[in-house]
Amino acid sequence: MLIFIARRLGIMLLTAFVLTFVVFFLTNLPPNLEKLARSEGSVRMSDESVTAWIEQNGHGGSVLTRYGQWLGMVPGWVLTDEKGVTRGRCIAQRQDPAEASRFCGILQGDWGNSTFFKKAVLPSLGEKLGATGWLMLWVMIVMVPTALVIGVVSGMREGTRTDRALSTFSIASTATPEYVSGVILVALFASPVTGLSPILAEWGWIDGKTLFLGAASPDKITFWSFTLPVLTIALYGIGYIARMTRASMTEVMTAQYIRTARLKGVSFGQVVIRHALRNALIAPFTVIMLQFPWLLNGVVIVETLFNYKGFGWTLVQAAGNNDINLLLGCSVVAVFVVLVTQLISDIGYVFLNPRIRIS
Amino acid sequence: MDDALTWGAIIGQILMQFLPVWIALVATYAVSITFKRRLGLYGKLFDSPVGMIGFGIVMFWVFTAVFADQIVTFDPLAQLGSKKNLAPGSVFADAAEDQYKYFLFGGDHLARDVFSRMVMGARSVLSIAPAATAFAFMVGITLGVPAGYFGGRLDTTLSFVANLVLAFPVILLFYLLVTPEIRLTGIPVVLAALLFIFPIVFLTILFNSRYFTDPKKRNLYVGMVLVVGLWAYSGLAFNMDPLGVWSMDPNLLNVFVSVVFVNSPTVFRIVRGIVMDLKARDYVAAGQTRGEGPWYIMLWEILPNARGPLIVDFCLRIGYTTILLGTLGFFGLGVAPDSPDWGSTIDDGRKTLSLFPHAAVVPALALMSLVLGLNLLADGLREESLRD
């Protein structure tokens, strides 16, 4: 078991290095740096001064060295210009160059400054992640139980009318990406001109113009503002998890020990709850863990659609405004989330499944 | 001055506009159901109600894409009149004598006709999604079959690379790969050069492994593949086709390559899994005993037996690719800013979503119905292919 975890960790580290390098390489392409120079320096810079700006601000040299500096495994760049002022990656403004540390990268906790937020990346990312955390929490609370119940109920008696209806619902929900369900939900419940809201307002059942709000903010989490974003993300995942649960449930229900239990005279409900459920839930566990990266996508779309200022919104702003440090920070977080959930799902699978644990 | 149309009249007008599609659909169903016993898996599809419904929805959009020029009521890119965000069924006040008189699904924020844009969107989506999926399958099969069959270090390396791509959140990858800046660096062309070579490699190995004992036939088939393949390759990947038949807009190439790149690792994993399962079968051992080469066994013994799950996954994956293309459009990373593809129109429409929802809801429903149709079709195919 220990060797297994150690090997997984090794592969994970290697993956993390390769992925962050690819992201670093793609965000630091020459055209991006030129754009950065023009937005940080001046728009009307000549091509020569752009090249000079890039050199003077530590963006010259090979990609590998710059990647090392960004990671914090290679000493940060230090440059002394004609006026004798020494500047460097690790030297803060008005700081004596002699006092500055040699290494400053993400490993030392220095994630650089965001040109979009005009402040350090790490605290702003932390704040946005907190906002997204709340959204994710509610999504999980809604999505996982709903999906498991749908899957278990439809898989417990295969081929019945309930099963057909629930399976059709699952297929329909996997066919509806977040940007489609979000648009439809807003049109139905959060538009003052169409859907339910004008009818309800006419009857005097709701105070405002719309039933739910079409925008959400992390400062004020209410039922009325959070329902639509949470539903939008959850809906897409529900179908997928439910189908996996159903498949695993139908397989378990045909197993020998279920028949034995039934023949012994155990009631159907008891068989489902005591004998089938535990074995049927092993496969969905992996699927739920692997849903996290996919939720990340949903979060980006939903936060853009509902203008919720969280992690996904930050990622879009960073990419749209050529904010290299912020985008790198977002990528590190995203890659970290993906790899950790993969690891947990691997280890969890082994723990839950005695057949693998013993061999 | 005419009045605006009621919803009943709108639906009637739309059904009329889709007339060529209805005729084509009825013809397809009539022919298919008559000869369904002689059409193999395709014919069996018509035994399953789910599969028939799914196939109907998919073919509806396919025929819409084909007959789009006859169905549209206005030029999908033109700005019509001065009134914006008109409600569905509104009258087009400045209509010329020979022009259509109504905005069937209303107008968008630039006074373009939502209905015409939706119809043309079907063409732009259906010309990219199946092709991109096919390329992803070529890449996935060419790498996945040997990885599953030989195993060992080849498998470890390829799986590691596939997992690398899969560990990227898709949207982040799109934001990194589909940008105007990256087009300047030529990375999309490098990726295209890498990915577009796979169909040629696949077909060459396919024919060579079967006909190498009969050089005349082998030279004919392999020669044809190489001539046509490399000709298309020079045009599609490098835009250097000497005859100018094959070419791809750089924006489109960028989108296309990124979608293929995102899809291939998943196909690779699926193919690898199936091959690992099938290689323990007796007919593989029989082939090995006969002294067949590994490539012959892989491509002519194992692959045909893996076709069931692969066809099902192909349908599902076209749907997934449609969703990915929509995502790209939704974030404004699409083919062109005024392109009528559904993702971009949803993105345009969401700015006025709460007051004029029709501009976003119409393409959203269109996209959803196509993906739903593909999912149902895949479900029907899976059911029917498992039956025998």
Side-chain angles (χ1 to χ4, degrees), chain A residues 235-274:
Chain A
L235 212 58
Y236 191 60
I238 284 178
Y240 189 62
I241 300 178
R243 286 179 81 169
M244 291 294 156
T245 316
R246 178 184 177 276
S248 124
M249 188 73 188
T250 47
E251 202 191 308
V252 170
M253 286 308 278
T254 54
Q256 300 279 349
Y257 63 87
I258 297 290
R259 201 177 56 182
T260 315
R262 284 292 279 154
L263 290 176
K264 272 193 328 198
V266 184
S267 74
F268 187 73
Q270 282 292 312
V271 167
V272 170
I273 290 169
R274 305 238 346 232

Side-chain angles (χ1 to χ4, degrees), chain B residues 48-196:
Chain B
S48 130
V50 173
M52 252 162 85
I53 295 171
F55 183 69
I57 300 175
V58 173
M59 287 320 281
F60 171 81
W61 285 113
V62 171
F63 288 131
T64 304
V66 172
F67 298 117
D69 291 320
Q70 281 77 48
I71 299 170
V72 290
T73 49
F74 295 103
D75 175 5
L77 301 181
Q79 305 190 1
L80 307 154
S82 48
K83 292 209 179 106
K84 290 167 185 169
N85 295 318
L86 284 169
S90 305
V91 178
F92 179 30
D94 319 328
E97 203 49 34
D98 56 338
Q99 259 182 320
Y100 200 77
K101 287 205 178 49
Y102 301 101
F103 287 105
L104 288 173
F105 277 146
D108 68 0
H109 68 298
L110 291 173
R112 294 172 296 194
D113 183 44
V114 172
F115 175 74
S116 305
R117 284 177 75 72
M118 178 201 77
V119 170
M120 269 303 166
R123 180 177 279 184
S124 89
V125 167
L126 283 173
S127 58
I128 304 178
T133 316
F135 269 95
F137 260 77
M138 283 283 105
V139 178
I141 289 175
T142 316
L143 295 176
V145 172
Y149 186 77
F150 293 124
R153 201 162 290 167
L154 176 80
D155 181 30
T156 318
T157 320
L158 286 175
S159 296
F160 179 72
V161 175
N163 288 337
L164 270 186
V165 181
L166 287 175
F168 264 111
V170 181
I171 288 183
L172 180 63
L173 200 60
F174 279 154
Y175 263 118
L176 295 173
L177 281 181
V178 190
T179 57
E181 284 84 34
I182 207 167
R183 267 164 235 150
L184 298 173
T185 61
I187 289 178
V189 176
V190 176
L191 266 182
L194 197 70
L195 294 173
F196 289 0

Side-chain angles (χ1 to χ4, degrees), chain A residues 109-114 117-126 325-326:
Chain A
D110 185 348
W111 293 41
N113 277 310
S114 151
F117 286 127
K118 311 275 181 222
K119 56 179 184 180
V121 167
L122 203 54
S124 27
L125 253 187
N325 279 332
L326 189 58

